[in-house]
Amino acid sequence: MGGDLYVVDRRSMTVERITETRNAERSPRFSADGSRIFFREGDNLFSVTDGTVRQLTDIRSGRAPGEEGEAEGQKGFLERQQEELFEYIRNRKARSEEMQTERERREAERPEPLYVPQGERLGTLEIEPHGHYVAVSLSSPAQGATRTIVPAWITESGYTEDLTVRTKVGDQQGSSRIGILALATGEVTWLDLTPEVEGEEEHTHRGGDPELSMAYFAGWSDSGEFGLLKAISFDYEDSWIYSVSSATGELSLLEAIHDSAWIAGPCSFGCEGWIPGTNRAYYVTEATGYAHLYTIEADGSDRRAVTRGDWEVLQISIPEDESGFHLHTNEGSPFNQHFYRMDFDGSDKVRVTSGNGSFQVTPSPDGERLAVIYSRANRPPELYVAESRRDIELEQVTVSPTAEWLTFPWLEPEIIRFPAQDGAQVPARIYRPSDVGAEPNGAAVVFVHGAGYLHNVHNYWSTYYREYMFNHFLAANGYTVLDIDYRGSAGYGRDWRTGIYRWMGGKDLSDQVDGVHWIIEHEGVDPARVGLYGGSYGGFITLMALFTEPDVFTAGAALRSVTDWAHYNHGYTARILNLPQEDEEAYRQSSPIYFAEGFRGHLLMAHGMVDTNVHFSDVVRLAQRLIELGKENWEMAVYPVESHGFVEPTSWTDEYRRIFELFERTIGNGMH
């Protein structure tokens, strides 16, 4: 609707238009008493009451008037001389001062200006429920950082056009700061969010002191007395959660979280807030090794663990009736996601959904009904509705696949666990030829999911749905397929998540090797006929497997793969491998380009030429390395219009045809 504001009466479904402007209004919210609507337009906050719009903030770029100061030295002398010699100059200065006095008189009742210094950008503006204070965030872009150029080759103009994209890990990074603006006075209290970490002598920080990497404001308490903030250190080892007094700007440290690897996990962002009607905050940490929910008073007292166990809280919300927490967790099995209701103190926890799969539940405003997005391993997400009670019965609303797709007997792949070298039990999905009515050909393929920290072995629909279907195709052609949640994958707690710290291509790769040993022993696979494939992180593992485990893997397809982590982005890579200029060993032992000498199998590299995430230059550099090493039996397939996630159906078709042909001629029925 063009960014204008409307008020909808949910009972009568009548709609009232509040604004009609060329500018886009956004972030609307009602005041605590419901009499006003706060909203943001451009860089400022406004309120509307009974049709009257009032500007609440006056945020401007640049220096405040007078900050430039009086001219000094030679310029100061000339200005003083002009005023001394010429009545015209004196009169002009007097008129200017009179006009300034008049402007100040007229603006006395308007918001005090807040000037954003040159080089900083305004971020969020979060007004507290009663309209007295605003949390203001400013960000400073990295100074001197170099952004990578990615050429777009197929363009409307007929000329190659350059895209300026991200920086590389270890380059200069930006910073942010947060302040509390008092609307009555225009004064801002800027917050210092980098405390001395308790037990500092027990651990050192990458790059020295724990400087701030990022901070964000997580919301106001209903009373408006306190705000909630979270900050992350530059080395990603420490995180701090604070409350801040709106009236004084005084900070109370609620939680200091340290991880000798890096801070992350499910609910590591966006799972903080205030319990309605109280000054008690909630947040999630991996303090026990699994992501769990805690509550604490705004002054830092009475910290309580609300959930506990060898499972993880994945999402948190509070319903409109403010009756308690709504949780999505993997309690009971890492392979399912269920919906729970629970009182704010952790009592009366009830699981609302049942069975295998993933249930994403949203209650109606009155709490009487539930909208459920439900999927199973062999059925994509669909919308269901149910009456809100303890044992719900789902009524299906949508059917997304075509009738033709539904005629195929898609598998709910068996989930197995196999022992790793270090004794861990590694989860995997297995696709057997016999499951789809085919005869085994004696060969096997390992599919390696991407993203590293991603969950793919479960009882619900995979984000890798194309690969899910392709794995059926491989099984139908006689291949035994294994899909592993290797070390670094999501869903299994902190230790599993951080198992790749400082060595990507370590346990995450050895888990693939151990999976191969298991299928050789239990599924009758020929040890000389094993391949693997995957995209992004999966492509990286494919390269590491072919280069460092050539006796295990004969052929592999590495898709949009990282070949050298020193050329990937900062936010992902610095967490896991530190900075390349400070931890060269981690990058050397984690980057396939250093191990290309070990390649002696068969390799397909497929990459989009306009990839703005893992740049095409990654595989170009590796190709040159393979050429200089005199390596044979490798090939490249390039996709001139594709970025990291392919869009064109013809590109997907071409890529997976090439993968299948690679396996057929090297490890499959057509091998020679």
Side-chain angles (χ1 to χ4, degrees):
M1 296 185 180
D4 288 323
L5 297 184
Y6 298 77
V7 173
V8 179
D9 187 318
R10 293 194 310 218
R11 294 182 178 85
S12 65
M13 292 307 295
T14 57
V15 179
E16 177 187 2
R17 188 169 193 157
I18 303 300
T19 63
E20 187 172 359
T21 68
R22 287 182 176 272
N23 296 327
E25 288 81 36
R26 56 194 171 102
S27 305
R29 59 171 298 177
F30 285 101
S31 62
D33 60 7
S35 64
R36 291 179 287 172
I37 299 173
F38 303 126
F39 65 92
R40 180 171 174 175
E41 181 181 300
D43 285 346
N44 283 290
L45 289 175
F46 298 80
S47 68
V48 57
T49 309
D50 296 329
T52 301
V53 176
R54 180 188 174 201
Q55 184 170 340
L56 302 179
T57 63
D58 183 7
I59 298 177
R60 310 176 186 180
S61 297
R63 292 182 176 181
E67 283 189 355
E68 296 84 358
E70 295 185 358
E72 298 178 353
Q74 175 258 353
K75 290 183 175 58
F77 167 80
L78 291 177
E79 287 187 8
R80 291 191 298 273
Q81 183 191 50
Q82 293 292 91
E83 185 176 351
E84 176 186 351
L85 293 176
F86 301 106
E87 182 179 4
Y88 165 77
I89 296 296
R90 293 192 294 273
N91 290 341
R92 183 175 174 178
K93 184 175 181 181
R95 286 195 300 271
S96 176
E97 291 174 350
E98 290 173 2
M99 292 173 64
Q100 177 63 25
T101 301
E102 177 61 20
R103 278 196 299 270
E104 291 175 355
R105 185 191 66 78
R106 290 197 307 267
E107 295 182 358
E109 296 182 0
R110 295 179 181 176
E112 285 290 324
L114 170 61
Y115 290 88
V116 176
Q118 187 175 5
E120 288 190 279
R121 290 197 292 252
L122 180 66
T124 58
L125 294 174
E126 298 286 345
I127 191 166
E128 57 90 9
H130 302 277
H132 302 306
Y133 300 93
V134 177
V136 180
S137 69
L138 300 180
S139 63
S140 299
Q143 300 298 312
T146 302
R147 293 190 173 274
T148 307
I149 301 298
V150 173
W153 301 93
I154 308 298
T155 64
E156 293 181 3
S157 68
Y159 291 87
T160 302
E161 299 172 4
D162 289 340
L163 307 177
T164 304
V165 293
R166 62 164 172 81
T167 60
K168 298 184 180 184
V169 59
D171 206 341
Q172 297 297 316
Q173 299 299 305
S175 60
S176 61
R177 57 178 175 145
I178 295 177
I180 304 300
L181 168 63
L183 293 180
T185 64
E187 294 181 358
V188 182
T189 303
W190 296 105
L191 307 176
D192 180 3
L193 301 176
T194 53
E196 292 184 8
V197 181
E198 292 184 11
E200 183 69 22
E201 69 281 355
E202 298 176 4
H203 65 270
T204 58
H205 289 265
R206 304 166 220 166
D209 293 333
E211 298 175 359
L212 195 65
S213 169
M214 67 185 79
Y216 67 92
F217 188 79
W220 293 101
S221 63
D222 284 351
S223 67
E225 294 179 72
F226 297 99
L228 192 65
L229 306 104
K230 186 170 185 178
I232 309 291
S233 65
F234 180 76
D235 61 11
Y236 304 108
E237 289 185 2
D238 287 278
S239 174
W240 304 283
I241 299 174
Y242 299 91
S243 68
V244 58
S245 167
S246 56
T248 66
E250 181 180 355
L251 290 167
S252 295
L253 181 61
L254 306 185
E255 184 72 271
I257 306 159
H258 175 73
D259 195 305
S260 57
W262 76 96
I263 299 288
C267 263
S268 56
F269 293 95
C271 284
E272 305 86 19
W274 296 96
I275 295 175
T278 75
N279 287 329
R280 189 170 184 84
Y282 66 88
Y283 59 93
V284 170
T285 82
E286 290 180 316
T288 65
Y290 293 87
H292 280 294
L293 176 62
Y294 297 79
T295 64
I296 193 168
E297 290 296 324
D299 63 2
S301 65
D302 194 24
R303 177 181 181 272
R304 300 179 191 176
V306 180
T307 63
R308 54 184 61 82
D310 294 347
W311 49 273
E312 298 192 298
V313 173
L314 307 173
Q315 298 174 34
I316 302 172
S317 61
I318 295 175
E320 200 165 310
D321 63 9
E322 301 180 346
S323 57
F325 289 118
H326 282 179
L327 306 177
H328 290 86
T329 82
N330 63 4
E331 182 176 0
S333 169
F335 311 129
N336 296 312
Q337 294 184 358
H338 283 288
F339 173 69
Y340 291 78
R341 292 192 184 97
M342 182 178 68
D343 289 346
F344 288 124
D345 62 1
S347 63
D348 197 25
K349 182 157 70 84
V350 176
R351 193 176 83 175
V352 177
T353 53
S354 60
N356 286 332
S358 170
F359 301 82
Q360 298 296 311
V361 179
T362 303
S364 61
D366 61 9
E368 295 296 318
R369 305 195 78 199
L370 303 175
V372 183
I373 302 296
Y374 170 54
S375 73
R376 306 195 311 273
N378 62 348
R379 288 294 182 271
E382 301 286 3
L383 174 63
Y384 296 76
V385 293
E387 299 298 321
S388 184
R389 54 176 183 260
R390 183 179 291 265
D391 297 314
I392 64 172
E393 295 182 6
L394 297 178
E395 178 185 345
Q396 189 166 350
V397 176
T398 63
V399 178
S400 300
T402 64
E404 182 182 10
W405 190 90
L406 289 169
T407 62
F408 188 84
W410 300 104
L411 299 175
E412 296 187 74
E414 179 186 351
I415 296 175
I416 58 100
R417 289 183 185 265
F418 59 82
Q421 297 170 19
D422 61 0
Q425 291 293 311
V426 183
R429 281 175 161 183
I430 188 167
Y431 301 77
R432 299 181 177 90
S434 59
D435 294 337
V436 292
E439 289 293 325
N441 65 5
V445 171
V446 177
F447 165 63
V448 189
H449 72 68
Y453 189 66
L454 179 142
H455 196 193
N456 203 50
V457 175
H458 46 59
N459 292 317
Y460 44 93
W461 191 246
S462 174
T463 53
Y464 284 90
Y465 58 88
R466 295 179 186 88
E467 291 75 10
Y468 166 78
M469 293 185 284
F470 185 65
N471 290 342
H472 280 75
F473 179 76
L474 290 172
N477 281 274
Y479 296 89
T480 300
V481 182
L482 202 62
D483 170 6
I484 302 170
D485 265 353
Y486 50 86
R487 236 64 67 93
S489 297
Y492 308 97
R494 181 265 173 196
D495 290 348
W496 202 268
R497 173 180 69 78
T498 61
I500 58 173
Y501 177 56
R502 293 194 68 246
W503 190 13
M504 293 192 278
K507 288 183 178 180
D508 46 0
L509 175 56
S510 65
D511 285 346
Q512 317 294 330
V513 173
D514 294 335
V516 170
H517 292 159
W518 187 90
I519 57 174
I520 289 170
E521 179 181 352
H522 292 86
E523 302 295 326
V525 168
D526 183 346
R529 298 169 60 199
V530 178
L532 78 168
Y533 80 102
S536 196
Y537 199 98
F540 149 72
I541 288 291
T542 297
L543 293 173
M544 287 294 275
L546 290 175
F547 294 175
T548 67
E549 296 287 351
D551 293 331
V552 178
F553 298 98
T554 299
L559 322 173
R560 44 199 161 274
S561 48
V562 175
T563 69
D564 185 345
W565 286 108
H567 291 257
Y568 196 51
N569 70 34
H570 185 89
Y572 182 90
T573 319
R575 285 172 163 83
I576 305 172
L577 298 182
N578 307 328
L579 303 182
Q581 60 268 37
E582 296 175 3
D583 197 348
E584 184 177 342
E585 178 186 3
Y587 284 79
R588 281 186 169 274
Q589 68 185 0
S590 300
S591 296
I593 200 166
Y594 288 106
F595 299 96
E597 293 92 337
F599 171 61
R600 63 171 189 262
H602 302 268
L603 168 64
L604 165 67
M605 292 187 291
H607 214 106
M609 295 179 73
V610 200
D611 194 330
T612 56
N613 181 15
V614 181
H615 302 153
F616 182 57
S617 58
D618 253 46
V619 289
V620 171
R621 294 176 71 246
L622 180 58
Q624 181 62 24
R625 186 94 175 96
L626 293 171
I627 291 168
E628 292 178 359
L629 290 168
K631 295 297 181 179
E632 301 178 352
N633 298 320
W634 64 273
E635 59 184 312
M636 288 181 65
V638 300
Y639 297 87
V641 301
E642 298 292 359
S643 185
H644 197 60
F646 284 11
V647 174
E648 298 298 324
T650 51
S651 300
W652 285 109
T653 302
D654 184 86
E655 181 180 61
Y656 280 93
R657 173 184 60 79
R658 292 175 185 273
I659 298 170
F660 180 65
E661 290 175 352
L662 169 72
F663 291 146
E664 282 288 273
R665 70 174 180 266
T666 57
I667 62 173
N669 289 321
M671 61 179 293
H672 55 271

